[in-house]
Amino acid sequence: MTTTTLNTGLDATARDSVAAGLSKLLADTYAVYLKTHGYHWNVRGPNFSSLHALFMDQYTEMWAAIDSIAERIRSLGQLAPQGYGAFANLTAVKDGDPEKSAEDMVAELMRDQETIVATARAALPAAQAAGDEVTTSLLSDRLTAHEKHAWMLRATLGGK
Ligand SMILES: [Fe+2]
């Protein structure tokens, strides 16, 4: 073992699979962050003020989270993906369309939040199997945040 070998009690194979799940979560979160910020700028109509503020709440929360996710990947001994090309390869979330109606923007972001929830939930078993409590806790926090974002967007559309 060299002086720089990582030794935190998690085996390398487990760390790699946990980091892979986190990398996908990072890419999804970054893509939805970027779309939500764009819709904050471009939303139009009688509900402008409340949607402009709701979108800001959500992109601000996601902006803070992406740093925590990336730094967890680094703590696991992997390099964090960076750049639009790397993120595009890891996420199925598409760019937003500034021409959309306010209601269509909200509906799209609601589905995007559900996509992130699914990605975070899919990453959980590897972290739990590895006994990686830190990542498990981070994923739990991300599930809490994205389920709440999805609820607020769904309620904005009149849904339960
Ligand atoms: Fe702004």
Side-chain angles (χ1 to χ4, degrees):
M1 187 184 293
T2 69
T3 53
T4 58
T5 300
L6 191 161
N7 180 20
T8 57
L10 297 172
D11 77 71
T13 306
R15 285 191 281 105
D16 289 354
S17 75
V18 172
L22 287 172
S23 292
K24 185 161 173 26
L25 178 64
L26 177 63
D28 279 0
T29 307
Y30 194 90
V32 179
Y33 152 76
L34 201 58
K35 187 188 292 187
T36 305
H37 206 155
Y39 284 172
H40 163 81
W41 299 326
N42 289 315
V43 70
R44 302 169 311 284
N47 297 322
F48 169 82
S49 202
S50 60
L51 293 176
H52 182 71
L54 175 64
F55 295 164
M56 186 168 83
D57 287 347
Q58 296 196 351
Y59 80 66
T60 302
E61 193 281 332
M62 288 186 281
W63 179 252
I66 59 178
D67 197 53
S68 299
I69 298 165
E71 292 185 356
R72 183 62 195 155
I73 294 167
R74 293 295 297 117
S75 296
L76 291 165
Q78 290 289 332
L79 296 177
Q82 67 169 83
Y84 291 116
F87 287 146
N89 286 334
L90 285 164
T91 185
V93 174
K94 299 296 176 213
D95 283 344
D97 174 2
E99 298 289 349
K100 278 193 174 181
S101 70
E103 187 168 336
D104 285 351
M105 287 180 182
V106 174
E108 182 183 3
L109 292 176
M110 180 189 70
R111 293 302 176 210
D112 288 338
Q113 290 293 336
E114 292 174 346
T115 294
I116 304 178
V117 167
T119 298
R121 211 180 295 290
L124 206 46
Q128 289 169 327
D132 181 350
E133 294 295 337
V134 177
T135 299
T136 300
S137 172
L138 174 62
L139 291 171
S140 174
D141 289 347
R142 297 319 303 149
L143 285 165
T144 303
H146 292 294
E147 288 190 31
K148 184 171 178 178
H149 294 332
W151 152 51
M152 291 191 172
L153 294 163
R154 196 168 59 247
T156 298
L157 295 169
K160 290 180 181 169

